[in-house]
Every structure is written in C-alpha cells, then in structure tokens.
Amino acid sequence: MRIQDTPEEWPVTATATPFTGNKTSVRTDEVEMPDGSRAKRDYQVHPGSVAVLALDSDDRVIVLRQYRHPVRQRLWEIPAGLLDVPGENPLHAAQRELYEEAHVKAEDWRVLIDLYTSPGGSDEAVRIFLAREISAAEGERFEVAEEEADMELARVSLEELVRGALAGELHNTCLATGALALRAALSGDGLDALRPADASWPARPFDA
C-alpha cells in the first residue's frame, strides 16, 4: 500500500485576522466539521521557507549556530530563509540564502525533502534542497544584522548530525530532517534519484 497526502478543504464559514506581523500573521477560521458542527481554528499564516543542506567534497555539511529567542537557545541550523516574494522560485531563494549566510555557491542542486513544520498550528511549508559541488562565492560577503551578526559557521560530518539529532542534542527542524533524509537517500536509491531542483511544489506554487 502506498500512502500519500491528498488535498482537501473543509468549508470555512467565517474568518478573521486578529494579528498581523512583519512577515507572518495569525488567522482564525470557523470551520464546518464533517458532522455539520463548527469549530474555530487559530493558525499562523506563513509565506513559506527554503533551507539548504550543503555537502562539501569531504562529505561535511555546512551548519550555522544562531540564537533563537522563542526557544531561548542557540541552535545549530542549516542555511535557510523566508520566501519573501509571492511566487518566488524556491531554488533562487535557496541559492540566495546559501550565498548570504555561508558565502558559498553550489553547482548541483536537488530537492531533498518537502515538509510542513507544524501543520496543526501553521501553514508554513519548507523545501529543503541538497546542494553539492560547493565553492567559495565571488564578491564581498553579505552584510548581516541582528541575530545573524552573531552567527558561527562550521562544517560537520553527516554522521555527527544524525547522531546529534537522535541523541536529542540538535533540535532545528530543517537540520534534523535534512540530515536524516540525506542518510535515508544514501542508504536507498542514491542522491541522483532525488527530485530535480525545479520539481513542482503544490504547497507553494512558483514561477519558473
């Protein structure tokens, strides 16, 4: 039996946006249940994100250490960022984030995995790319600010990331999911069997 997620939308009888922030907002929908009853659902409206698991020639992953205020921790992560422009091509956004946060470029790009970060409370969709054939980017480094100004960069083996995730020592969604997905791909059909970088993404349709 093959299982897969399928589109479905229950009727929304009323909606409101009690909070609007700089990048995200909170929406309250009144949803009609299958039995005809109605229930309110609050959730974060999010533009979507991309992340990059960049693998160098020594099979090390580029990771960043950054303070995250909501969880009061400094987390190890992979380069990532918001899809700031509606319809933005996610590959272009991922290439931009890799340049801005790690100052490297990649020649080979694949879709590693797509996910919803917290579908019970947010519509955020994330596409994680695998980037290979890494080299230094040209030009000056991107000027960072706020939390990003205090970032630490490292290159760590995939096995160390998998070990850390399973040991409860690494908690970032994209890092843990990306590392485990890459390990699964290597143990399965191989990296060349991954989807192409321009594969369709129904959760966040984009321009070519």
Side-chain angles (χ1 to χ4, degrees), residues 4-95:
Q4 66 181 75
D5 300 331
T6 54
E8 184 170 344
E9 186 170 353
W10 292 359
V12 175
T13 56
T15 188
T17 305
F19 170 79
T20 300
N22 185 32
K23 297 293 185 180
T24 68
S25 60
V26 173
R27 181 176 297 163
T28 300
D29 287 345
E30 185 179 78
V31 183
E32 184 175 316
M33 302 288 115
D35 64 0
S37 63
R38 297 179 180 180
K40 288 186 176 181
R41 294 291 179 262
D42 302 321
Y43 60 98
Q44 180 192 37
V45 178
H46 194 285
S49 307
V50 291
V52 186
L53 195 150
L55 194 65
D56 71 13
S57 58
D58 294 321
D59 293 330
R60 297 174 303 173
V61 179
I62 296 176
V63 292
L64 309 163
R65 193 166 179 241
Q66 184 172 348
Y67 175 68
R68 293 301 187 184
H69 186 71
V71 296
R72 307 308 200 266
Q73 290 196 36
R74 189 182 294 268
L75 302 180
W76 284 103
E77 308 177 350
I78 56 178
L82 297 175
L83 292 169
D84 295 311
V85 181
E88 182 177 16
N89 187 303
L91 174 59
H92 298 165
Q95 291 169 333

Side-chain angles (χ1 to χ4, degrees), residues 88-103:
E88 182 177 16
N89 187 303
L91 174 59
H92 298 165
Q95 291 169 333
R96 179 187 69 235
E97 294 300 329
L98 187 61
Y99 165 75
E100 291 182 356
E101 296 192 351
H103 200 62

Side-chain angles (χ1 to χ4, degrees), residues 22 66-68 74 143-151:
N22 185 32
Q66 184 172 348
Y67 175 68
R68 293 301 187 184
R74 189 182 294 268
E143 186 176 348
V144 295
E146 299 177 343
E147 289 93 343
E148 292 183 350
D150 194 40
M151 285 195 307

